[in-house]
Amino acid sequence: MAVPRLFVEAPLVAGAAVPLEEGQARYLTAVMRLAPGAPVRVFNGMDGEWAATLAQAGKRGASLSIGAQTRTQTAPPDLTLLFAPVKRHGTDLIVEKATELGVRTLQPVLTRRTVSETVRLERLRAIAIEAAEQTERLDVPEIAAPLPLHRILDGWDGERPLVYADEAADDPSAAWGGAQGRARPVGEALRDVRAPALALLTGPEGGFDAEERRLLRSLPYVVPVSLGPRILRAGTAVIAALAVIQSSWGDW
Ligand code: SAH
């Protein structure tokens, strides 16, 4: 059986005793059925990964005794995902998959057609922690509070290319805008991108509106990309684009 891996907030040093949250204590004792002395692995996003043992487990909670460091801290590539929140399940999926795929920072973006504006940051953080635990990451992506698209663009650092997933084109009378003004295929567009930091922007179920699209495509740091001739659901677009970005620019 694999040794359980947990994220904790506490600093990790040899010999420390780290109290566990109720949910984690229950998971180790009731679900995994670990007894005191059983091995556990822990990370906190700052101090790498450590071997630990379940020190005490009882009615008043459980704690870990920290042993030796097993991995030193590393950071994933400086990749930010800007995503329009979608219906609850869709947003959960985006956060989980972006964590698995190695995004460092997640920024929910409110666009004109964003319908689900309530973002439960604590819930999303819990999803990111769980994904980080199981995916062997040493950090948990930061999830920022939602911001309107124009605010994000106003404060943008032009050194960071913004890869914009744009399924549309320019002819209003044709389906998806016809052929004129299509973005370049993502793999091809990324070949020219050498920057040390990158961001990906994806839209809501209804896409970006014409004005947002015009604005985005007028900005010098925006790299519009196509993810192929099919219209993908928002979550699929995130996963597909991240896979290409990580393999051509990132750490795959
Ligand atoms: N415009 C559509 C669909 C939006 S799909 C509509 O009106 O219903 C949701 C988001 O996924 C888009 O905003 C875009 O960022 C991304 N996306 C989906 N399919 C894509 C493709 N083939 N190429 C580029 N981006 C795509």
Side-chain angles (χ1 to χ4, degrees):
M1 188 181 68
V3 176
R5 187 170 186 272
L6 292 181
F7 175 81
V8 295
E9 301 277 358
L12 295 171
V13 281
V18 171
L20 290 176
E21 283 171 21
E22 209 182 308
Q24 292 179 319
R26 210 179 321 111
Y27 170 72
L28 291 185
T29 57
V31 182
M32 301 299 290
R33 305 208 155 273
L34 298 189
V40 177
R41 295 179 296 151
V42 281
F43 66 110
N44 66 359
M46 292 171 299
D47 300 319
E49 187 177 286
W50 294 68
T53 50
L54 184 59
Q56 155 262 326
K59 290 225 160 51
R60 272 173 287 114
S63 66
L64 296 178
S65 167
I66 307 304
Q69 192 185 42
T70 50
R71 288 168 71 193
T72 52
Q73 188 68 33
T74 52
D78 191 351
L79 174 59
T80 298
L81 171 64
L82 308 163
F83 69 98
V86 290
K87 276 176 242 110
R88 182 172 167 155
H89 176 71
T91 297
D92 292 356
L93 179 94
I94 288 172
V95 170
E96 181 184 284
K97 298 310 167 200
T99 305
E100 289 178 43
L101 292 167
V103 166
R104 194 193 284 192
T105 309
L106 283 113
Q107 171 68 65
V109 184
L110 305 177
T111 66
R112 291 244 175 90
R113 293 185 184 149
T114 300
V115 278
S116 103
E117 299 207 350
T118 40
V119 172
R120 291 178 185 79
L121 284 176
E122 250 174 61
R123 176 192 163 77
L124 296 182
R125 166 113 176 130
I127 290 171
I129 287 175
E130 212 174 298
E133 286 173 342
Q134 76 95 39
T135 207
E136 304 275 332
R137 272 178 83 134
L138 291 169
D139 68 316
V140 173
E142 185 201 330
I143 308 177
L147 284 174
L149 179 63
H150 67 87
R151 282 270 308 278
I152 288 172
L153 298 177
D154 284 350
W156 197 259
D157 164 15
E159 300 293 302
R160 184 191 287 267
L162 178 55
V163 176
Y164 156 47
D166 182 10
E167 78 287 2
D170 295 340
D171 179 358
S173 66
W176 307 116
Q180 188 66 37
R182 285 258 161 217
R184 291 164 75 197
V186 59
E188 187 189 303
L190 282 171
R191 248 178 258 150
D192 307 335
V193 175
R194 295 272 177 278
L198 199 71
L200 166 69
L201 171 67
T202 58
E205 292 96 337
F208 293 92
D209 81 0
E211 212 174 296
E212 289 170 331
R213 185 172 175 267
R214 244 193 322 273
L215 170 64
L216 283 162
R217 296 200 56 151
S218 73
L219 297 168
Y221 53 79
V222 167
V223 183
V225 301
S226 161
L227 302 171
R230 288 157 294 272
I231 304 301
L232 308 175
R233 298 191 70 178
T236 315
V238 168
I239 296 168
L242 287 176
V244 178
I245 289 173
Q246 287 292 46
S247 68
S248 69
W249 171 88
D251 64 2
W252 284 18

